[in-house]
């Protein structure tokens, strides 16, 4: 008889394991540190960034407020350009549509350029189940395909891997088995490895950064040129795109690109910004004979009702790079397709709040994610809303509910609150040593891995009352 499989790890277990992984820390520090420096320099070099950010949020809101109009307009124009448009209500329908097109094309090999929507709907798994050979063509996706992993960052899927790891992977899996040390040599090795597949694939699958309603074109922005090689040589090009990618005009797509790219990589523009509009026309030297666009809902119309701001997300990854939680535990600990603050807000929509309620709790509410978001998504507010929903729906543990009820009771009665403080504060001060408490008896979760600050000698209220502290200034007299 087979031994029962161990229960799946939850977020806490995954996060704990990640915190003990030194290699992961090195990889994350390199990638996110670099990203933060480059973004800061790009924003400093463009004084109009804040205005562009406001405009970007307004562009997305305009498209979302007129969602049906622009989606229908996009479909009409895409059909007129010769594309075939497929609507998918959920992940299952989206994967089924892609597989049906691949079967119709009698495909054996499909190339794929990076698409987080593909991860969200489980497309890699669906392609494998359908017996199709999938070749990931983005360099980082190529790395994680060799490693048998999933992406850990929405811009740099292999952010959890150091270059030393990658050298070993390439030495093991690439045909020439060389242990390379220079990044340029590793890139050349991957290019050589992938080159034949670009031309052998019958179908190329891409995502879309924008769906342009006025033309019916889809826009991809990449740095490696692999999206162009994925979408141009094969006979069939399939685009999978979330319906929130809709924008009214090409001008709007370009305006969004300017804040998206600066927020993602710190560059002014990506190396490749391509508008794909319909299949190859008579006289064209290259391009696909068939051009399919699979428009995926998968919870987005529900989000339009419940958290419309999240549909502004342009998947730049800035909130991940600046998150004090993501930068310590990496993406895999989150357990869904999307990690970091945006993942903590999105994953409950896709996987259910009950199963993912730890994610919104894994936030310090420092607000940096909102500050760097190029479309001003109030991520801390959205995460707080999830926490409140989880509490109202009864998903929180009994002990937490009791503790919060007790807190609310005490905090709403000033005399009782002061009396409780009069007992608790001296006790806590006695536990402290040099201003820090090493172990709190009733809250070990706080002090297992870090110290807790001892309370000040006199409470804030007492200092204000005596005039020692002024409210609002924080300064002493
Ligand atoms: S939430 Fe904002 S910062 Fe985070 S990925 Fe989306 S657009 Fe970028």
């Amino acid at each position: 008889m087979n031994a029962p499989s161990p229960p799946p790890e939850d977020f806490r277990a995954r996060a704990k394991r990640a915190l003990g992984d030194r290699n992961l820390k090195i990889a994350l520090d390199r990638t996110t540190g670099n990203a933060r420096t480059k973004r800061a320099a790009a924003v400093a070099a463009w004084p109009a960034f804040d205005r562009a950010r406001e405009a970007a949020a307004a562009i997305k809101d305009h498209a979302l407020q007129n969602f049906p109009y622009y989606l229908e307009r996009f479909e009409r124009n895409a059909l007129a350009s010769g594309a075939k448009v497929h609507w998918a209500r959920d992940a299952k329908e989206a994967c089924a549509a892609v597989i049906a097109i691949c079967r119709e094309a009698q495909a054996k090999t499909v190339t794929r350029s990076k698409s987080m929507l593909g991860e969200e709907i489980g497309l890699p798994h669906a392609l494998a189940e359908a017996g199709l050979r999938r070749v990931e063509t983005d360099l980082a996706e190529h790395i994680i395909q060799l490693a048998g992993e999933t992406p850990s960052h929405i811009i740099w899927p292999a952010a959890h891997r150091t270059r030393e790891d990658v050298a070993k992977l390439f030495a093991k899996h690439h045909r020439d088995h060389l242990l390379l040390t220079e990044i340029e040599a590793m890139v050349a090795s991957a290019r050589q490895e992938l080159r034949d597949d670009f031309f052998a694939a019958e179908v190329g699958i891409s995502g879309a950064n924008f769906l342009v309603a006025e033309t019916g074109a889809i826009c991809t922005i990449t740095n490696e040129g692999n999206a162009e090689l994925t979408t141009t040589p094969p006979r069939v090009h399939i685009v999978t795109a979330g319906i929130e990618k809709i924008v009214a005009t090409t001008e709007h797509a370009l305006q969004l690109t300017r804040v998206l790219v600066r927020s993602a990589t710190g560059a002014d523009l990506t190396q490749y910004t391509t508008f794909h509009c319909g299949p190859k026309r008579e006289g064209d030297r290259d391009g696909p004979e068939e051009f399919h666009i699979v428009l995926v809902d998968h919870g987005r119309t529900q989000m339009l009702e419940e958290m419309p701001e999240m549909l502004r997300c342009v998947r730049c990854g800035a909130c991940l790079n600046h998150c004090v939680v993501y930068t310590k535990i990496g993406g895999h600990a989150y357990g869904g397709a999307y990690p970091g603050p945006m993942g903590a807000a999105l994953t409950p929509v896709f996987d259910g709040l009950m199963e993912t309620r730890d994610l919104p709790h894994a936030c310090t509410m420092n607000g940096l994610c909102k500050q760097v978001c190029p479309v001003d998504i109030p991520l801390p507010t959205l995460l707080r809303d999830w926490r409140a929903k989880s509490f109202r729906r009864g998903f929180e543990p009994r002990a937490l509910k009791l503790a919060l009820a007790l807190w609310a009771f005490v905090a709403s009665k000033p005399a009782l609150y002061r009396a409780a403080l009069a007992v608790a504060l001296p006790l806590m001060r006695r536990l402290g040593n040099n201003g820090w408490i090493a172990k709190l008896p009733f809250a070990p979760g706080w002090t297992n891995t870090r110290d807790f600050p001892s309370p000040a000698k006199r409470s804030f209220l007492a200092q204000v009352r005596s005039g020692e502290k002024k409210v609002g200034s924080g300064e002493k007299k």
Side-chain angles (χ1 to χ4, degrees), residues 154 263 310 312-320 342 369 372-377 379:
I154 61 172
S263 303
M310 201 55 221
R312 283 189 210 143
C313 179
V314 289
R315 309 288 193 261
C316 73
C319 58
L320 279 62
M342 54 84 78
C369 49
V372 297
C373 175
V375 282
D376 198 22
I377 298 176
L379 286 156

Side-chain angles (χ1 to χ4, degrees), residues 42-52:
V43 170
W46 192 31
F49 185 84
D50 281 343
R51 276 210 311 281

Side-chain angles (χ1 to χ4, degrees), residues 108-293:
K108 290 188 176 56
T109 299
V110 298
T111 43
R112 204 172 80 101
S113 66
K114 185 168 82 65
S115 150
M116 287 313 298
L117 179 91
E119 303 299 326
E120 176 193 316
I121 60 175
L123 188 56
H125 183 69
L127 292 169
E129 278 210 321
L132 289 152
R133 180 171 164 260
R134 167 178 62 96
V135 180
E136 295 293 339
T137 63
D138 174 89
L139 179 59
E141 291 277 357
H142 171 63
I143 293 166
I144 60 168
Q145 186 172 27
L146 293 182
E149 294 174 331
T150 53
S152 67
H153 190 291
I154 61 172
I155 296 290
W156 298 285
H160 57 289
R161 291 245 165 210
T162 61
R163 85 175 72 101
E164 294 79 6
D165 293 336
V166 175
K168 284 183 207 152
L169 263 178
F170 283 8
K172 184 172 173 199
H173 295 282
H174 281 182
R175 277 165 285 190
D176 48 16
H177 299 293
L178 294 175
L179 185 63
L180 303 163
T181 50
E182 298 301 315
I183 288 179
E184 289 75 12
M186 288 191 237
V187 172
S189 176
R191 186 179 289 141
Q192 188 186 327
E193 204 70 19
L194 292 169
R195 178 70 47 174
D196 293 343
D197 287 322
F198 281 125
F199 296 100
E202 296 87 3
V203 172
I205 304 175
S206 76
N209 290 92
F210 305 109
L211 304 165
V212 183
E214 72 173 350
T215 60
I218 69 118
C219 174
T220 55
I221 55 179
T222 63
N223 272 317
E224 297 167 17
N226 66 302
E228 287 64 28
L229 275 169
T230 300
T231 57
T232 309
R235 206 177 60 72
V236 178
H237 174 191
I238 306 174
V239 182
T240 55
I243 51 178
E244 86 286 3
K245 299 283 167 144
I246 192 78
V247 292
T249 63
T250 305
E251 170 63 28
H252 283 182
L254 293 174
Q255 281 194 50
L256 286 168
T257 302
R258 297 172 86 193
V259 288
L260 160 56
V261 179
R262 281 175 171 87
S263 303
T265 63
D268 292 351
L269 273 180
T270 42
Q271 302 293 331
Y272 299 89
T273 303
T274 306
F275 289 85
H276 309 252
C277 194
K280 177 160 102 174
R281 294 173 184 80
E282 216 177 303
D284 284 353
R285 292 181 58 187
D286 49 32
E289 288 164 30
E290 287 178 32
F291 185 70
H292 297 263
I293 306 168

Side-chain angles (χ1 to χ4, degrees), residues 78-94:
L79 290 172
S81 74
K84 293 184 180 150
V85 179
H86 313 256
W87 296 86
R89 275 172 298 196
D90 52 28
K92 203 169 158 200
E93 283 189 10

Side-chain angles (χ1 to χ4, degrees), residues 406-444:
L406 183 66
W407 165 256
F409 179 75
V410 175
S412 62
K413 302 200 166 28
L416 186 60
Y417 181 78
R418 278 196 291 274
L421 281 189
V423 175
L425 292 182
L427 280 176
M428 287 176 74
R429 282 188 202 110
R430 289 184 68 174
L431 289 174
N433 187 11
N434 283 334
W436 294 96
I437 300 172
K439 274 264 176 276
L440 271 175
F442 299 111

Side-chain angles (χ1 to χ4, degrees), residues 425 456 458-466 469-472 474:
L425 292 182
R458 280 155 48 72
S459 74
F460 176 74
L461 203 57
Q463 292 178 53
V464 171
R465 284 216 176 108
S466 68
K469 203 178 259 295
K470 283 183 186 165
V471 177

